[in-house]
């Protein structure tokens, strides 16, 4: 399929690349580094080769979220956003940007998201999971009350927020001891992003801000498979939850999902069945996945051509109000 749009695609700055230490093989690390630091060369060439018209780019994980000192987080977010805006400006027909935000300082995050959307022309926000602040062993989740004014500002700006995985803190990783293959993207990323997503939904955030749209990758970080069960157990919970609706309802009204790094027909069809085809969008997760594997899978996935165009392109045009 020509004209595909992707939205979980990562770049890095020299300053943020060092956080991506998940490749034991030096050759792999070099290739990853080259691909993360590049936008207009290898990345664009592969987009041409595999029928991807537009790629919405985000800073690599954890990026800003692991910077302990709030002032440094603010400064690095501004730098990353300026660099991305500069690259996008060279090929605005092929690239768009997500804002990186210094969540360690919610007031500064409001200023930065406003600048990114209004001045830099970004089409949304990418948050790389919880933020650390002050002490390395901290996890700040965005359902906390201090973030409500930021969510209000994002709703007002009318842009989606991509909640992307990040690494588990060492102090929280005991279950992975001796099983490094499940750390990071093999399992831990989904666990981390799933609980953060559920926290946001259960907190009542989307009752207060019903226009907000969250985007979650990897076909929903395992949540779609368990939506019924989560709602079932919540319905029996003696203390109830702050949110007014079921998790399934929020998934159908306030959440979009991408195929990033989850290139499997049966999982795709199950997900479509649970949340609706208008909420599922194609993505790759470049450069942690290859453009070839993602695009060849999608182009040959068991879908009608109308459904392929909807997932591969039209849903993104609608969600980001793209002028393509
Ligand atoms: C990511 O998207 O951030 C990522 C990694 C490491 C492996 C896979 C992956 O940082 O998707
Ligand atoms: Zn990713």
């Amino acid at each position: 399929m020509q004209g595909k749009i992707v939205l979980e695609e990562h770049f890095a700055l020299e300053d943020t690349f060092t956080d991506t230490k998940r490749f034991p093989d030096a050759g792999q690390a070099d290739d990853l580094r080259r691909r993360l630091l590049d936008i207009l060369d290898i990345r664009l060439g592969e987009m041409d080769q595999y029928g991807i018209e537009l790629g919405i780019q985000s800073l690599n994980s954890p990026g800003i979220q692991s910077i302990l000192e709030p002032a440094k987080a603010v400064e690095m977010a501004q730098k990353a956003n300026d660099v991305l805006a500069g690259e996008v400006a060279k090929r605005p027909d092929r690239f768009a940007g997500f804002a990186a935000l210094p969540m360690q300082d919610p007031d500064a995050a409001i200023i930065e998201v406003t600048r990114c959307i209004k001045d830099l022309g970004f089409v949304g926000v990418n948050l790389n999971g919880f933020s650390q602040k002050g002490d390395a062993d901290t996890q700040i989740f965005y359902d906390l009350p201090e973030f409500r004014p930021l969510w209000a500002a994002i709703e007002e700006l009318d842009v989606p927020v991509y909640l992307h995985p990040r690494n588990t803190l060492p102090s929280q990783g005991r279950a992975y001891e001796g099983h490094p293959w499940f750390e990071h993207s093999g399992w831990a990323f989904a666990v981390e992003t799933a609980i953060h997503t559920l926290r946001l939904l259960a907190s009542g955030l989307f009752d207060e801000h019903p226009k907000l749209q969250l985007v979650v990758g990897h076909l929903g970080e395992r949540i779609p498979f368990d939506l019924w069960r989560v709602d079932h157990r919540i319905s029996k919970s003696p203390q109830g939850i702050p949110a007014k609706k079921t998790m399934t309802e929020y998934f159908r009204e306030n959440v979009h999902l991408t195929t990033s790094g989850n290139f499997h027909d049966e999982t795709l069809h199950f997900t479509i069945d649970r949340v609706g085809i208008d909420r599922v969008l194609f993505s790759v997760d470049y450069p942690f996945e290859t453009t070839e594997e993602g695009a060849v899978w999608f182009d040959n996935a068991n879908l009608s051509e109308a459904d392929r165009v909807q997932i591969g392109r039209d849903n993104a045009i609608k969600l980001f109000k793209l002028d393509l």
Side-chain angles (χ1 to χ4, degrees), residues 8 10 19-23 32 36 59-62 128 164-166 184-186 189 218 260-261 284-289:
E8 195 193 306
H10 311 300
D19 282 336
T20 307
K21 295 180 192 125
R22 295 189 263 287
F23 289 83
L32 184 70
L36 277 168
L59 188 66
N60 68 315
S61 181
N128 285 318
H164 185 273
R166 65 159 292 170
H184 312 303
S185 52
F189 274 20
H218 312 104
S260 63
V284 172
D285 206 353
Y286 180 92
F288 301 103
E289 302 286 345

Side-chain angles (χ1 to χ4, degrees), residues 177-188:
E177 275 172 21
H179 291 259
W181 36 86
F182 291 130
E183 286 179 41
H184 312 303
S185 52
W187 187 258

Side-chain angles (χ1 to χ4, degrees), residues 207-243:
D207 300 320
E208 200 178 317
H209 300 293
K211 272 172 51 199
L212 279 175
Q213 294 296 324
L214 200 65
V215 187
V216 185
H218 312 104
L219 285 173
E221 311 291 3
R222 322 271 151 83
I223 300 174
F225 190 77
D226 251 33
L227 270 177
W228 184 88
R229 175 161 168 75
V230 170
D231 284 331
H232 173 66
R233 293 315 309 168
I234 289 173
S235 75
K236 316 260 180 209
S237 147
Q239 72 271 39
I241 60 168

